[in-house]
């Protein structure tokens, strides 16, 4: 049996004593606003470019912590610092992050000049949850309005998220991706307080349907990354692609929706899918979960396919713990334990705060960075926060 | 001392007995035209998509072999098969590869329907040399004309190769890449027979200048992958990027131009730069040359940075052997020997034809494919052909 009380302390301390201090100390750009998030192992800045979705994610994370952490051993001063840093990031996003019409650029230079055009829908989705969560923290109507209006733009782009930067030729084999419906599952709940009830419910039902009935394929027992637009499997590089971490992450979004809608059978299904994905994705030789796989075992175009990524593993911790918490499924608990052991012996850096992001197949550190183009103040603290809270609840249950 | 005679036999046999038969047997699509080039280790087709620059490269390679291999032990039947296969590929490219105005798509499905729009300039550059080399083989004026007109389009695109698919925001920190001027060095010589003399000479001078005076940085002793458009180093992810294999490959293009223009000092410089790049890029721990590096040693955004790629190594063999052949520099010969030993013990597949493409840092096979999205009938046979011919010439020198 796991010692939930001790584990709760471990996750809480990692979050509050080692991970958040890393970001608070190193990432806040007091000169130009926003966050410097390309950080080396020890927190030193190795690049000053600002990737817009990372800015949104850090605003969200800080606001979320401010909104949900009310524990006596976190001082009001610390909470005020989180809020102040969130506002600093949001103001930078508001003034520099978009083109004036809430089209969020992909990248800015340190001063906030646009570097890369708004081709990426995830720059928008993370702005939505950033301003939404900060509106909750501050009651600021302007932030709420930015969140709502950006969400409208996201919904208007679901058919062609890349817009004019889409390189797919018209006609032949049009595909759709799993990432957007999956993220929308999470976004919808995040900004529940900003949406009309019936609109929210419609959006949620659409997302659940896409994830659980469309991208989940009973004939495979797995979720695929891409389908044809008429919802068929495609025997092509994109169509064969699996991303087990993505699928497992989506399953805790679904569990959250199952809780919200009081649909235990949805939670049960999400549990079973998550376990199937973990079993499929686990590297039997070296441990850890692969980044990409091909459902027919063919060679991948993703050269990084066999690497072990931080977000895959922390998201699996959330999903498996939530599965156990909500259903009592002991397979989930066993998976939590297995991935916990891998994570704490591979991703956690005993010397400096935050976790390594990229390990090679053998579990050796491939890149020493703690933050970069695709890693910021998001998955690790979000996962630690969730695991801490769930572990505390489990520890408090009567034996 | 190396046994050039034995080595010449080894490279020749690898080309004629193991590599070209692999492509001739497995890649020719007799049903739809063009080439199937996503091939597993044993030659079985794992994907039927057709990447247009790979089609162009195979047309070029087959035409080049037809044009240059006149050795008694290659039968006229084999040569006729090469030519027939080249024409088959060229006809597919001519009818399916572009939009009717010689804008070459990036990818087609097996039947030839466009999948990915013509955003990539290298789909064009390889069409130029494909039709150019085939025009030389056949005397067909239509092919010569396609080559010339496509080359004009390439030159008109040098300022913004990606056209409307360029995601760089206007204004801030505009960059230019090394790949295009580097490839143009090679393209110019390839289609020399199709260009007016003074135009050719101007193009060649511009290319040499860009490679040797602009992208080569004396303060680093290295070639960088990207510069600002006003030719300055940039302390950014793109601006710090080094690709030693790219730089080393460019040096044999420069040596060829040095020979063509009778400028031995250009060849000497290219030799020294190639040696510096090889020393910088060599993995002292596991052997082989890294794919990507950061000139300030910062973490890279390329997750595949530490992998060992086939083309990097075969291109190094060409450059080092050519350096030795043309200048007698024994450091070049030592590098040829070192990389030769690595290649024949890591990339060559003793069971099936063609070479592995992707090894991990330790030199273990990462992907079993012999052809894929970025690997086709090109680098390996081109390198073997060149090395064979150079080794034969070296073997024939009086002792």
């Amino acid at each position: 049996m796991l010692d939930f009380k001790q584990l709760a302390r471990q996750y809480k301390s990692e979050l509050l004593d080692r991970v958040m201090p890393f970001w608070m100390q190193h990432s806040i750009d007091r000169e130009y606003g926003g966050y410097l998030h390309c950080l080396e192992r020890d927190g030193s800045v190795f690049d000053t470019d600002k990737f817009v979705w990372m800015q949104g994610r850090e605003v969200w994370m800080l606001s979320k912590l401010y909104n949900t952490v009310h524990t006596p051993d976190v001082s009001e001063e610390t909470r005020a610092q989180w809020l102040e840093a969130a506002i600093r990031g949001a103001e930078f996003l508001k003034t520099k992050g978009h083109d004036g019409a809430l089209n969020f650029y992909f990248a800015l230079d340190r001063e906030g000049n646009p570097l890369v055009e708004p081709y990426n829908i995830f720059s928008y989705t993370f702005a939505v949850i950033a301003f939404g969560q900060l509106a909750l923290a501050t009651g600021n109507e302007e932030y709420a309005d930015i969140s709502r209006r950006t969400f409208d733009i996201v919904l208007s782009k679901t058919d062609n998220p890349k817009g004019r930067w889409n390189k797919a030729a018209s006609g032949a084999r049009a595909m759709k991706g799993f990432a957007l419906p999956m993220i929308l599952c999470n976004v919808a709940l995040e900004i529940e307080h900003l949406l009309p009830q019936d609109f929210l419910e419609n959006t949620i039902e659409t997302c659940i349907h896409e994830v659980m009935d469309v991208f989940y394929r009973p004939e495979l027992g797995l979720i695929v990354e891409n389908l044809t637009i008429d919802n068929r499997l495609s025997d092509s590089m994109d169509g064969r692609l699996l991303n087990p971490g993505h699928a497992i992450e989506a399953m805790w979004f679904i569990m959250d929706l199952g809780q919200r809608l009081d649909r235990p059978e949805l939670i049960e299904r999400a549990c079973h899918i998550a376990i199937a994905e973990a079993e499929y994705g686990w590297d039997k030789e070296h441990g850890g979960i692969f980044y990409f796989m091909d459902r027919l075992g063919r060679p991948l175009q993703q050269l990084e396919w066999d690497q072990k990524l931080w977000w895959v593993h922390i998201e699996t911790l959330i999903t498996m713990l939530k599965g156990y918490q909500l259903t009592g499924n002991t397979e989930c608990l066993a998976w939590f334990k297995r991935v916990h052991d891998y994570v704490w012996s591979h991703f956690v850096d005993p010397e400096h705060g935050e976790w390594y992001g990229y390990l090679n197949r053998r579990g050796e550190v491939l890149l020493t960075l703690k933050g970069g183009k695709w890693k910021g103040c998001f998955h690790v603290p979000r996962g630690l926060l969730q695991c801490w809270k769930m572990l505390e609840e489990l520890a408090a249950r009567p034996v």
Side-chain angles (χ1 to χ4, degrees), chain A:
Chain A
M1 200 58 198
L2 292 177
D3 181 347
F4 291 124
K5 202 166 160 187
Q6 188 276 324
L7 284 168
R9 272 198 302 268
Q10 183 179 354
Y11 280 77
K12 176 182 176 182
S13 163
E14 184 70 8
L15 173 69
L16 298 175
D17 303 333
R18 293 177 32 87
V19 170
M20 285 317 299
F22 179 91
W23 295 105
M24 290 300 291
Q25 190 181 337
H26 301 295
S27 79
I28 296 161
D29 187 350
R30 304 210 169 269
E31 207 166 333
Y32 294 97
Y35 312 112
L36 295 161
H37 62 88
C38 294
L39 303 176
E40 255 287 21
R41 186 185 166 193
D42 63 358
S44 56
V45 175
F46 74 83
D47 198 278
T48 57
D49 283 358
K50 290 170 175 170
F51 296 89
V52 170
W53 66 328
M54 291 299 149
Q55 305 291 315
R57 285 175 154 193
E58 188 156 348
V59 171
W60 176 85
M61 191 70 239
L62 292 163
S63 306
K64 185 78 176 180
L65 286 166
Y66 177 83
N67 287 335
T68 52
V69 175
H70 306 279
T71 178
D73 46 353
V74 171
S75 68
E76 277 311 304
E77 189 195 341
T78 295
R79 294 184 64 248
Q81 285 167 350
W82 289 339
L83 184 62
E84 187 263 328
I87 292 171
R88 172 183 291 273
E91 288 297 316
F92 184 77
L93 264 184
K94 190 181 84 182
T95 53
K96 306 280 191 179
H98 61 94
D99 65 354
L102 299 180
N103 293 302
F104 285 86
Y105 296 112
F106 182 71
L108 311 171
D109 67 13
R110 183 174 179 184
E111 291 80 353
N113 301 305
L115 288 176
V116 181
E117 296 276 15
Y119 80 95
N120 192 309
I121 190 82
F122 299 106
S123 309
Y124 297 67
T125 58
F126 290 100
V128 172
I129 67 170
F131 285 103
Q133 195 64 229
L134 186 58
L136 213 55
T138 58
N140 182 321
E141 250 318 300
E142 188 190 9
Y143 295 154
D145 184 58
I146 293 174
S147 178
R148 262 188 300 257
R149 286 195 292 139
T150 306
F151 189 56
D152 285 344
I153 299 176
V154 169
L155 293 180
S156 77
K157 281 173 170 284
T158 52
D159 284 346
N160 183 16
K162 288 195 181 167
R164 72 178 173 90
W165 295 279
N166 185 359
K167 293 182 289 201
S170 63
R173 197 205 298 154
M175 305 282 286
K176 66 180 194 180
F178 176 62
L180 189 53
M182 169 210 162
I183 289 288
L184 291 180
C185 279
N186 181 245
V187 170
L189 270 194
E190 272 292 326
I191 59 162
E192 187 171 352
H193 56 290
L194 300 177
L195 299 176
Q197 190 62 23
D198 58 338
F199 177 82
L200 174 77
E201 281 165 16
N202 273 337
T203 307
I204 285 176
E205 287 305 327
T206 306
C207 289
I208 293 174
H209 172 70
E210 284 289 305
V211 171
M212 301 299 275
D213 305 325
V214 177
F215 283 93
Y216 174 74
R217 310 300 297 193
E219 66 271 48
L220 305 172
L222 296 169
I223 285 169
V224 295
E225 272 293 289
N226 299 289
L227 287 170
T228 65
I229 40 165
D230 54 349
N231 298 341
R232 288 178 299 109
L233 288 175
S234 161
D235 185 3
S236 59
M237 292 194 202
D238 288 342
R240 291 189 301 268
L241 190 65
L242 302 174
N243 183 332
H246 229 178
I248 295 170
E249 180 181 5
M251 289 308 100
W252 74 255
F253 297 170
I254 294 290
M255 291 178 196
D256 277 359
L257 290 170
Q259 254 199 306
R260 164 75 176 65
L261 303 171
D262 195 18
R263 283 164 55 180
E265 80 292 352
L266 194 59
I267 299 174
E268 285 286 348
R269 273 193 72 204
C271 248
H272 289 293
I273 294 173
I275 291 165
E277 293 281 351
E279 277 166 3
Y280 192 92
W282 187 257
D283 180 353
K284 276 89 187 163
E285 205 175 327
H286 297 286
I289 295 169
F290 287 118
Y291 187 10
F292 291 112
M293 302 176 84
D294 181 290
R295 65 181 168 82
L296 298 179
R298 310 248 177 92
L300 289 124
Q301 59 174 311
Q302 286 80 6
L303 301 183
E304 65 276 29
W305 72 274
D306 70 346
Q307 296 176 10
K308 311 293 162 64
L309 268 66
W310 84 106
W311 68 264
V312 170
H313 294 80
I314 184 94
E315 296 302 324
T316 304
L317 290 177
I318 301 173
T319 301
M320 294 304 175
L321 198 55
K322 204 177 289 265
Y324 174 71
Q325 185 196 29
L326 299 179
T327 70
N329 186 323
T330 52
E331 271 190 273
C332 285
L333 194 63
W335 269 110
F336 173 78
K337 177 69 169 66
R338 180 175 300 141
V339 177
H340 167 91
D341 289 343
Y342 185 87
V343 158
W344 288 83
S345 58
H346 289 84
F347 286 107
V348 176
D349 177 0
E351 269 190 64
H352 301 280
E354 246 301 315
W355 296 5
Y356 296 117
Y358 302 90
L359 312 179
N360 67 17
R361 179 166 178 184
R362 290 172 185 257
E364 298 157 342
V365 175
L366 176 76
L367 294 169
T368 52
L369 62 79
K370 296 291 178 59
K373 186 170 177 181
W374 296 288
K375 184 173 190 289
C377 175
F378 186 66
H379 284 286
V380 174
R382 180 175 77 165
L384 292 171
L385 175 63
Q386 290 226 38
C387 289
W388 159 32
K389 293 294 179 185
M390 287 188 278
L391 288 162
E392 224 166 49
E393 192 272 330
L394 287 166
R397 287 186 185 178
V399 185

